[in-house]
Amino acid sequence: MELLGRLLEIIGFGIGIPIGLLLGYYLFIHPEPRDVKDPIIRPIHELDTSSLLDLWPETDWLNKFLSDMWPYLDKAICNMIRSTAEPMFAEYIGKYQIKSVYFDSLTLGTLPPTFHGIKVHESNENELVLEPAVRWAGNPNITLVLKVLSLQIKLQLVDVQVFAAPRIVFKPLVPTFPCFSSIAVSLLEKPQIDFGLNLMKADVMAIPGLYHYVQETIRKQVAGFYLWPQTLEIPILDSSVGATKKPVGILHVKVVRAIELLKMDFLGASDPYVKLSLSGERIPAKRTSVKMRTLNPVWNENFKLTVKDLQSQVLELRVYDWEKIGPHDKLGMQVVPLRLLSPHEAKEFTLDLFKNQNPNDPHNKRRRGKVVVELRFDPFKEDHERFSGPLEVHVSNQSRVPSISEDEHFAASGLLLITVIGAQDVEGKRHNNPCAVALFGGERKRTKTVKKTQDPCWNEEFQFVLDEASLKEVIRIEVISKRRKFGFQSKESLGYVDIQLFDVVHNEHINDKFHLINSRNGIVHVDMRWRVI
């Protein structure tokens, strides 16, 4: 009986709890309260000043952000001041008995500027544009030393106060903190500047008439350099941590052959192929064909890669042994710095293959054969001056407009850059997992898929290198929704847009939002650029 009683207690406990929870839900949680009214939703432009302040009581978030960023901005701005001023100082050395000019100390201090009101501009570009009212009462420590004959003269800037109305552009926006790679600053009007200047610990600005003369001169000089559209570029991130650089040219790679590769097969041979890519790029590596059962393959295959930084990027070559089943064996690798190349000059390299780039690795002592490649760098027309010197300025200026032949084909090669930024209000009948597809010249390139959204953001760039293309060719951007369920995949078109290649070439840069065909309200945001080789 005791066992039966225990069993009934357990059963009653197990049944009683679910019933109690169910009754509690319907008695206390399920009924909707009658004293709660629906919230009144009003457009933000209908709100008065007091209502806006209630919605956004804290207006110091931007000043706090600037305060946190100030040590890094101080370092970046001071480095730029040094690099800009040193060549100017060098021009005066030897003149007027001046032996040297240098900064004894250069820092903007610990007090950052503060924002008093701000205006934000909406733009299709990958940037954030702000126009704030800025005040700065700083504590800089800027001391300039002039050595004249045997005399050392020190100039010190003190008690700086500035009021300015700048335009600040954060660009490009990147997925790495602080979310932008550079800052472009320009002035919308002449700034108001007040400061003190100590010469050998004596206040020079106390001299009658000198204060207003120096102040007005500085205002004019600053306005001459930075009054909009003149800008001051302040780099924040470099290419290694997420900054985006624009392409500067095309690298032509001819993989010629390989010599005495490692034997990986049982029959004393290998099935080699080569993968090639540029450092810092996220696009998939290009690869040659597979040469079966040989240690001395001959390819003579040509490839084109987009170069973004001739000084820092390297060409990475990796040789593999193809396997029908399982991973492919690595035969060796090598790199070629692009700075070794001269514009428009082909150069052949015979490279020893190594296991990796670690010189202390004992595996690199083993002979792995050689690979022979031929490289040529062709800068874009608008960038030709940067690589060829001042003698090419006239040619560069004349080649801004691409030449077109009578049969409606380009006379010069070019690079088409397509960045699919995002879409709005794309709606499928069965699902909304949108991705974007770029179709041009027989090539098809696709973005990642963003699940369960009508407003996807991709921000992915595609590159199409063209030797010759008809002006009548069409660039198609299509938004597709995909869903995989129970092993089957369904696909649905959410709309498309066709853009004439002629429009991109004629304008060189198009950044716009296009209404999608076969879509109710869908819009796709695309950035397209044309660069002439």
Side-chain angles (χ1 to χ4, degrees):
M1 292 296 294
E2 183 178 356
L3 178 62
L4 181 61
R6 293 287 185 184
L7 182 61
L8 291 176
E9 287 180 8
I10 294 173
I11 294 174
F13 184 77
I15 296 175
I17 288 181
I19 293 176
L21 292 174
L22 186 63
L23 291 175
Y25 172 76
Y26 279 100
L27 289 176
F28 301 104
I29 300 178
H30 181 69
E32 296 182 358
R34 298 179 180 179
D35 57 341
V36 177
K37 298 181 180 180
D38 293 333
I40 299 175
I41 301 175
R42 295 165 58 192
I44 194 169
H45 64 269
E46 296 181 1
L47 301 178
D48 54 18
T49 304
S50 60
S51 300
L52 286 173
L53 291 177
D54 292 338
L55 288 175
W56 195 2
E58 296 292 338
T59 58
D60 292 336
W61 66 272
L62 189 56
N63 289 325
K64 185 179 184 304
F65 174 76
L66 182 60
S67 178
D68 294 336
M69 286 292 297
W70 183 243
Y72 307 99
L73 292 174
D74 176 27
K75 185 178 179 180
I77 295 173
C78 289
N79 287 338
M80 180 165 292
I81 292 175
R82 285 185 183 274
S83 61
T84 304
E86 285 177 357
M88 298 172 60
F89 293 162
E91 295 179 2
Y92 289 94
I93 296 177
K95 298 180 180 179
Y96 313 109
Q97 304 298 323
I98 297 176
K99 292 185 177 181
S100 64
V101 184
Y102 61 92
F103 286 107
D104 185 52
S105 60
L106 178 57
T107 175
L108 300 181
T110 58
L111 299 177
T114 56
F115 292 96
H116 299 267
I118 190 170
K119 182 178 180 180
V120 182
H121 289 272
E122 183 178 357
S123 171
N124 285 339
E125 301 292 335
N126 186 24
E127 62 186 17
L128 176 63
V129 182
L130 306 178
E131 290 183 1
V134 180
R135 295 181 185 272
W136 182 42
N139 57 343
N141 183 13
I142 303 176
T143 304
L144 185 68
V145 177
L146 290 83
K147 288 187 177 181
V148 182
L149 297 177
S150 59
L151 183 63
Q152 183 171 291
I153 303 174
K154 284 190 176 182
L155 290 171
Q156 185 179 16
L157 188 67
V158 296
D159 300 332
V160 177
Q161 296 187 37
V162 178
F163 175 75
R167 170 172 289 174
I168 305 175
V169 182
F170 301 89
K171 64 177 183 180
L173 303 180
V174 295
T176 303
F177 184 82
C179 302
F180 52 88
S181 61
S182 67
I183 302 176
V185 182
S186 57
L187 296 174
L188 300 179
E189 58 185 35
K190 293 181 180 180
Q192 301 293 330
I193 303 174
D194 189 11
F195 61 91
L197 187 63
N198 291 339
L199 175 62
M200 307 297 289
K201 298 184 179 181
D203 188 4
V204 178
M205 306 308 292
I207 301 175
L210 182 62
Y211 172 76
H212 293 288
Y213 173 76
V214 173
Q215 189 182 49
E216 186 62 26
T217 301
I218 292 178
R219 288 182 62 200
K220 290 181 179 179
Q221 289 294 326
V222 172
F225 281 107
Y226 304 119
L227 193 62
W228 193 86
Q230 304 294 330
T231 60
L232 170 65
E233 294 282 346
I234 305 173
I236 302 299
L237 300 177
D238 57 26
S239 58
S240 63
V241 289
T244 304
K245 292 188 176 183
K246 68 175 185 177
V248 296
I250 298 296
L251 177 66
H252 299 263
V253 182
K254 181 179 182 180
V255 182
V256 182
R257 64 186 185 278
I259 304 169
E260 298 180 356
L261 297 175
L262 289 178
K263 301 176 182 179
M264 304 299 293
D265 296 342
F266 290 109
L267 300 178
S270 295
D271 305 321
Y273 68 92
V274 181
K275 278 188 174 182
L276 55 154
S277 61
L278 289 177
S279 60
E281 292 291 340
R282 298 180 180 179
I283 60 177
K286 299 181 181 294
R287 54 176 290 178
T288 66
S289 59
V290 179
K291 300 298 181 182
M292 306 300 292
R293 296 181 294 278
T294 179
L295 299 180
N296 297 280
V298 177
W299 288 286
N300 287 322
E301 296 181 14
N302 297 289
F303 303 90
K304 295 177 182 178
L305 304 175
T306 304
V307 179
K308 293 186 177 180
D309 192 334
L310 190 67
Q311 296 301 317
S312 64
Q313 284 188 295
V314 299
L315 173 66
E316 299 176 353
L317 299 162
R318 303 179 187 274
V319 185
Y320 291 89
D321 175 39
W322 180 82
E323 297 290 344
K324 188 174 183 179
I325 300 176
H328 301 176
D329 296 325
K330 185 177 178 181
L331 298 178
M333 61 90 61
Q334 188 55 276
V335 299
V336 182
L338 300 189
R339 63 177 178 271
L340 301 178
L341 304 177
S342 299
H344 305 299
E345 294 183 8
K347 190 172 183 179
E348 185 174 280
F349 295 86
T350 301
L351 307 169
D352 291 318
L353 294 173
F354 297 97
K355 182 179 180 181
N356 51 51
Q357 290 299 299
N358 183 6
N360 298 322
D361 192 337
H363 293 91
N364 284 329
K365 295 181 180 180
R366 183 182 180 185
R367 294 178 60 87
R368 295 176 174 270
K370 302 176 185 290
V371 63
V372 181
V373 294
E374 186 178 289
L375 308 181
R376 188 183 81 247
F377 171 67
D378 289 339
F380 294 125
K381 297 293 185 181
E382 53 267 43
D383 295 309
H384 197 281
E385 177 185 348
R386 295 165 49 190
F387 303 104
S388 301
L391 294 179
E392 299 292 337
V393 173
H394 181 67
V395 177
S396 176
N397 292 335
Q398 285 186 336
S399 57
R400 289 291 296 171
V401 180
S403 56
I404 302 172
S405 60
E406 294 181 357
D407 59 351
E408 295 182 331
H409 282 73
F410 299 124
S413 301
L415 173 69
L416 176 64
L417 295 169
I418 300 177
T419 302
V420 185
I421 299 172
Q424 299 174 5
D425 298 327
V426 290
E427 184 177 358
K429 296 180 180 179
R430 297 182 296 275
H431 44 75
N432 286 307
N433 304 311
C435 67
V437 179
L439 301 169
F440 179 73
E443 294 187 67
R444 174 187 176 94
K445 300 185 179 183
R446 185 175 71 89
T447 68
K448 62 180 180 293
T449 299
V450 183
K451 295 183 178 180
K452 298 180 180 179
T453 180
Q454 294 183 3
D455 304 304
C457 179
W458 297 294
N459 200 27
E460 295 189 32
E461 180 184 272
F462 305 127
Q463 301 175 0
F464 298 87
V465 181
L466 308 178
D467 288 327
E468 189 176 79
S470 171
L471 286 174
K472 295 182 179 180
E473 285 201 49
V474 173
I475 306 163
R476 170 163 292 193
I477 308 295
E478 185 175 9
V479 181
I480 298 174
S481 177
K482 292 186 176 182
R483 182 179 66 178
R484 182 177 293 276
K485 192 172 183 180
F486 304 115
F488 297 95
Q489 186 178 49
S490 61
K491 182 172 66 173
E492 180 181 353
S493 176
L494 306 183
Y496 69 93
V497 62
D498 288 337
I499 304 163
Q500 294 288 334
L501 177 62
F502 173 82
D503 295 333
V504 182
V505 174
H506 179 72
N507 294 285
E508 293 188 351
H509 181 203
I510 294 178
N511 188 319
D512 207 347
K513 296 180 179 179
F514 301 89
H515 289 277
L516 292 169
I517 301 174
N518 295 338
S519 175
R520 182 182 301 175
N521 299 308
I523 294 173
V524 63
H525 186 184
V526 184
D527 182 285
M528 293 167 290
R529 300 172 186 265
W530 173 254
R531 310 296 301 279
V532 181
I533 301 176

